[in-house]
């Protein structure tokens, strides 16, 4: 055992991960993963032979190093450091393999944490267990490794860490499959890897075992929700090792979703198609729309008109062009163009309008057909309409009673067929792009826009007649007629500090009133 560490010595095994394919030729070794293949120049010799051992079952590190001279050992260990994310490391304690470690970050370097028998420990609130390739695994956005819980004793120990406990008591709570020393050694490793929190021995907090841990005391960690930090760690490279980006994970297995959604059946309302000449003649400039943009939660006495709704939707969401690949071309090439940008020209977002007050359009819930430029009634139930509007009103702290609610839905599989690991993040980015497009167009048209931060995806899927897992809401936006007057410029008497020419907004207000 290490000096000062009371736990049994840990033995490490090493081998290639199950999803790595290893090939040898005369001068190099090729390493193929699900997303890439690369070669390491490695002529015949001891290092090459040692690497070959790792292509089978896991072997003890000492055995892999047997027969290597001092220089070869250094070369071999440096090579393992370079290919660390392709390896799995087994952990034996007292002769039993309890867990395996896979690096999820290139710079992963987990080490034991020197946890004492009288320390209080508990599972991090950011840790999660899930099944992966038939094994229960432990992961965390705070960790740079994944822990495969290959032995039932390890799984029982992790379960026992749901509440704070002293290390010396864990063997009993883990079901008797571990000795006290084995439990301590395993907790030591999990704490060093970032999965277990440790409270120093002797610290007492009014007898409350749950107080005093870093995740409760640290002001940065306290302000991270579990799902937000997990999401952040998964949608950008660095701390996660699964394929990320446009890797077409379902190509050849599933058919891609069409670029244009077939419109639903139902009564329809043909919408006004604006003239480009009329729009450009009366539109303010981009700077006026940007600087004059405001969020409104109250409306003018006169409602919006069907003509305004038609122009707004035409400028925001219509399909402008449609490309259909030739027969025999690779699948997934069908794309469209709309006025706002999206990744890969996917345009997975759809628009539904809940109309409460609009001259020329009856109350109801409609789908916007971006090809036919029309509204199709999908739900005429007044209770459902009121429910949709109530959720939108609650999102504004009851300040607004929306005239028109636009619900943005995502056809998720339109993105996930191409993008791995980032499909949902991408649809949220697209939603933000569409928000800004709506804000600018509504401002240029003299309307009262407001983007919402909260919506009810489950209820809207039911009301709109959608499958929650195939298409459901990701954003909400409300519109109405602009109230009289102008919000003007920020008033210093109300505490606003002027920075970087806020008077541009006053100029924009005058430009918008003239438009």
């Amino acid at each position: 055992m290490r000096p000062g560490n009371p736990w049994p010595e840990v033995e490490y095994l090493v081998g290639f991960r199950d999803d790595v394919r290893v090939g040898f030729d005369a001068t190099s070794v090729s390493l193929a993963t699900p997303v890439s293949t690369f070669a390491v120049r490695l002529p015949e010799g001891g290092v090459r032979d040692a690497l070959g051992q790792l292509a089978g079952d896991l072997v003890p590190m000492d055995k892999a190093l047997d027969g290597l001279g001092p220089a070869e050992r250094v070369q071999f260990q440096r090579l393992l450091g370079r290919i660390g994310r392709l390896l799995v490391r087994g952990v034996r304690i007292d002769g039993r393999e309890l867990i395996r470690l896979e690096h999820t970050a290139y710079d992963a370097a987990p080490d034991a944490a020197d946890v004492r028998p009288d320390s209080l420990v508990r599972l991090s609130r950011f840790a999660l267990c899930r099944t992966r390739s038939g094994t229960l695994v432990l992961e965390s956005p705070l960790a740079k490794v994944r822990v495969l819980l290959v032995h039932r004793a390890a799984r029982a120990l992790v379960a026992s860490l749901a509440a704070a406990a002293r290390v010396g008591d864990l063997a009993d709570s883990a079901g008797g499959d571990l000795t006290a020393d084995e439990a301590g050694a395993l907790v030591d490793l999990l704490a060093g890897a970032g999965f277990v929190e440790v409270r120093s021995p002797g610290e007492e907090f009014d007898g409350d075992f749950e107080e005093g841990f870093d995740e409760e005391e640290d002001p940065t960690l306290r302000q991270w929700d579990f799902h937000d930090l997990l999401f952040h760690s998964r949608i950008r490279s660095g701390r996660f090792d699964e394929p990320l980006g446009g890797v077409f994970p379902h190509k050849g297995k599933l058919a891609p979703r069409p670029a244009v959604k077939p419109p639903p059946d139902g009564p329809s309302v043909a919408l006004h198609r604006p003239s480009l000449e009329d729009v450009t003649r009366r539109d303010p400039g981009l700077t006026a729309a940007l600087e004059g943009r405001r969020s409104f939660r109250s409306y003018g006495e006169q409602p919006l008109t069907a003509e305004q709704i038609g122009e707004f939707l035409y400028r925001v969401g219509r399909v402008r062009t449609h490309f259909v690949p030739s027969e025999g071309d690779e699948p997934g090439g069908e794309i469209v163009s709309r006025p706002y940008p999206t990744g890969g020209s996917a345009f997975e977002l759809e628009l539904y309008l809940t109309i409460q007050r609009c001259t020329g359009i009856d109350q109801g819930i409609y789908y916007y057909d971006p090809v036919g430029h029309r509204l199709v009634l999908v739900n005429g139930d007044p209770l459902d309409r009121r429910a949709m509007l109530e959720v939108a009103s609650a999102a504004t702290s009851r300040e607004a009673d929306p005239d028109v609610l636009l619900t943005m839905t995502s056809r998720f599989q339109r993105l996930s067929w191409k993008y791995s690991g980032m499909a949902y993040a991408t649809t949220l980015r697209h939603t933000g792009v569409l928000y800004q497009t709506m804000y600018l167009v509504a401002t240029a048209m003299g309307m009262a826009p407001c983007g919402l931060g909260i919506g009810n995806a489950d209820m809207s899927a039911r009301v709109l007649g959608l499958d929650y897992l195939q298409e459901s809401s990701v954003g909400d936006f409300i519109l109405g007629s602009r109230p009289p007057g102008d919000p003007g410029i920020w008033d210093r008497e109300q505490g606003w500090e002027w920075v970087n020419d806020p008077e541009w907004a006053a100029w924009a207000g005058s430009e918008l009133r003239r438009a």
Side-chain angles (χ1 to χ4, degrees):
M1 63 182 65
R2 295 179 303 165
N5 189 317
W7 313 121
E9 192 68 34
V10 171
E11 180 186 14
Y12 286 98
L13 315 173
V14 64
F16 283 104
R17 288 165 57 155
D18 290 342
D19 57 356
V20 176
R21 298 291 173 263
V22 184
F24 293 88
D25 62 27
T27 59
S28 65
V29 178
S30 66
L31 303 171
T33 74
V35 294
S36 64
T37 300
F38 61 95
V40 179
R41 181 171 176 76
L42 203 61
E44 293 184 358
V47 174
R48 179 189 177 99
D49 294 341
L51 194 66
Q53 294 184 66
L54 310 189
D57 200 3
L58 273 64
V59 298
M61 180 61 80
D62 290 345
K63 181 180 178 182
L65 295 171
D66 277 350
L68 297 181
E72 287 180 320
R73 287 189 172 212
V74 172
Q75 182 185 2
F76 181 64
Q77 290 177 326
R78 284 179 178 171
L79 177 59
L80 295 189
R82 287 174 54 198
I83 63 174
R85 290 216 324 189
L86 306 184
L87 303 174
V88 59
R89 294 163 176 82
V91 176
R92 275 183 187 165
I93 301 174
D94 281 345
R96 288 195 299 178
E97 186 186 3
L98 298 177
I99 61 174
R100 292 184 176 184
L101 304 176
E102 293 179 347
H103 289 191
T104 57
Y106 285 108
D107 61 345
D111 196 8
D114 289 329
V115 177
R116 314 304 299 176
D118 55 348
S119 295
L120 278 175
V121 292
R122 72 175 185 184
L123 194 66
S124 165
R125 70 180 177 90
F126 294 102
L128 73 147
C129 278
R130 68 179 178 116
T131 181
R132 186 177 187 271
S133 301
T135 302
L136 193 66
V137 299
L138 192 62
E139 296 175 331
S140 168
L142 296 179
K144 296 186 177 183
V145 297
R146 175 187 299 112
V147 178
L148 285 65
L149 304 172
V150 295
H151 196 285
R152 67 175 183 275
R155 297 190 287 272
L157 178 73
V158 169
S160 72
L161 290 167
R166 297 203 184 278
V167 176
D169 299 332
L170 288 174
D172 292 336
S173 58
D177 274 343
L178 294 172
T179 66
D181 283 351
E182 288 173 330
L186 190 50
V187 168
D188 206 30
L189 288 169
L190 294 176
F195 294 98
V196 170
E197 284 198 283
V198 181
R199 203 177 85 187
S200 299
E203 293 186 37
E204 297 298 339
F205 294 84
D206 299 325
D208 187 347
F209 273 15
E210 300 299 329
E211 291 184 5
F213 289 99
D214 281 349
E215 289 174 9
E216 306 299 334
E217 304 296 324
D218 182 274
T220 300
L221 289 175
R222 283 178 62 184
Q223 294 179 79
W224 272 107
D225 284 335
F226 161 76
H227 61 281
D228 284 337
L229 189 55
L230 178 65
F231 188 55
H232 178 58
S233 72
R234 291 294 199 263
I235 64 171
R236 301 184 69 81
S237 61
R239 289 202 172 189
F240 199 54
D241 60 337
E242 291 188 357
L244 181 69
V247 299
F248 298 90
H250 304 290
K251 188 175 181 179
K253 305 169 187 175
L254 298 170
R257 295 297 169 92
V260 176
K261 175 183 175 176
D265 295 327
S268 64
V269 178
L271 292 171
H272 167 69
R273 293 172 179 262
S275 157
L276 178 61
E277 184 178 290
D278 288 344
V279 169
T280 54
R281 175 173 45 81
R282 68 171 186 268
D283 248 7
L286 173 63
T287 301
L290 278 170
E291 294 292 329
R293 180 211 57 77
R294 297 288 185 277
S295 291
F296 291 86
R297 296 174 181 83
S298 61
Y299 309 110
E301 183 177 338
Q302 296 300 316
L304 293 174
T305 65
E307 182 174 324
Q308 288 176 298
I309 292 295
E311 178 180 333
F312 176 82
L313 291 172
Y314 199 80
R315 297 176 66 176
V316 163
R318 79 187 189 279
V319 168
R320 300 184 297 192
T321 60
H322 186 185
F323 176 80
V324 179
S326 301
E327 186 175 348
D329 286 351
E330 285 285 321
E334 183 193 8
I335 58 174
V336 296
S337 169
R338 298 194 190 193
Y340 60 94
T342 67
S345 295
F347 291 102
E348 79 290 355
L349 298 180
E350 304 290 343
L351 295 176
Y352 294 80
L353 281 73
T354 302
I355 305 286
Q356 175 172 232
R357 195 174 71 124
C358 178
T359 301
I361 302 178
D362 292 338
Q363 292 183 332
I365 302 174
Y366 299 86
Y367 167 73
Y368 173 57
D369 175 1
V371 174
H373 189 55
R374 60 185 181 132
L375 295 179
V376 180
L377 184 68
V378 294
N379 190 329
D381 188 329
L383 294 179
D384 285 343
R385 182 177 70 248
R386 191 64 245 163
M388 294 284 284
L389 296 170
E390 281 291 322
V391 171
S393 178
T396 68
S397 300
R398 302 292 179 188
E399 289 184 51
D401 184 14
D403 284 355
V404 177
L405 165 66
L406 292 107
T407 300
M408 304 169 206
T409 66
S410 174
R411 293 188 293 130
F412 303 112
Q413 286 75 34
R414 174 73 182 152
L415 285 174
S416 61
W417 187 85
K418 175 180 179 179
Y419 296 110
S420 180
M422 55 176 280
Y424 191 72
T426 300
T427 209
L428 295 184
R429 295 181 181 114
H430 295 166
T431 302
V433 169
L434 186 50
Y435 268 42
Q436 176 72 334
T437 304
M438 288 180 167
Y439 262 119
L440 293 178
V441 171
T443 300
M445 291 180 61
M447 303 165 83
C450 184
L452 304 182
I454 299 174
N456 188 325
D458 190 65
M459 184 194 72
S460 64
R462 178 188 62 80
V463 168
L464 301 175
L466 304 173
D467 181 326
Y468 181 88
L469 297 178
Q470 293 187 20
E471 180 185 347
S472 52
S473 65
V474 291
D476 302 271
F477 199 90
I478 56 177
L479 276 181
S481 59
R482 193 154 181 160
D486 188 273
I489 201 163
W490 296 274
D491 191 345
R492 280 175 165 164
E493 293 183 0
Q494 294 179 352
W496 291 99
E497 179 182 352
W498 286 17
V499 181
N500 292 327
D501 302 320
E503 61 270 17
W504 286 23
W507 166 83
S510 64
E511 289 294 303
L512 292 170
R513 283 193 294 272
R514 283 199 295 267

